[in-house]
Amino acid sequence: MTLVDYPGQVACILFSGGCNFRCPYCHNGELVLRPDDFPLIAEEDIFSFLKKRVGVLDGVVVSGGEPTLEKDLPDFLRKIKDLGFLVKLDTNGSNPEMLKAVVSSHLVDYVAMDIKNSFDRYGHTIGIPSFDTFRVEESADYLLSGVVEYEFRTTVTREDHDEKSFEQLASRLAGCRNYYLQNFMANENTIKKINSPCTHEQLQSYMEILSKTINNVQIRNE
């Protein structure tokens, strides 16, 4: 159960294994790099769990890893919606086709999309130097069009981000409804031990820059 992953809702969270990014600061490193090390939870067990919590939970968060890599995601979300739950999808935005499919089919009520950095620094930040951001930008523009409730969020590290990063994002994502800055926090599953958190003053500076073009900018887990 989670009280923080779905804003304003009491929810549970489901994690899919595997991801197409290799962000060095990812705190779900084992789930990303070695998903087969984790036991699979049978679908019938998931829905048995959810049926017992109808009227208790408001929603279900589907996270990862990267859940939009799962081809059966629409069918899975439809079964959750059929139980009457709200659905929040966490995504890195790299699969705009799947994102559009589940949103346009009304299978998702809220989307949280990670914005890793300004787009000229994306490849380095996600551990794929040659990465082309066009698909991520397509997803961002789709959400900016207002088709579903959403938030953008950036995990901020001292090594990867600076004021220029957020000046570029403030320009590129102007008009975004909700933007959250999340200070990096290492744990035993962090993919690489090369990052460190920002100071309070740095986070405040980045928030002020984004707030020039975005109405609701907040800091999480400072």
Side-chain angles (χ1 to χ4, degrees), residues 13-44:
I13 185 165
L14 303 173
F15 293 94
S16 65
C19 184
N20 53 336
F21 287 3
R22 290 296 181 268
C23 306
Y25 53 84
C26 178
H27 66 274
N28 280 343
E30 290 187 355
L31 191 64
V32 168
L33 300 176
R34 296 179 295 277
D36 291 340
D37 289 352
F38 291 83
L40 289 176
I41 302 175
E43 185 172 296
E44 55 265 32

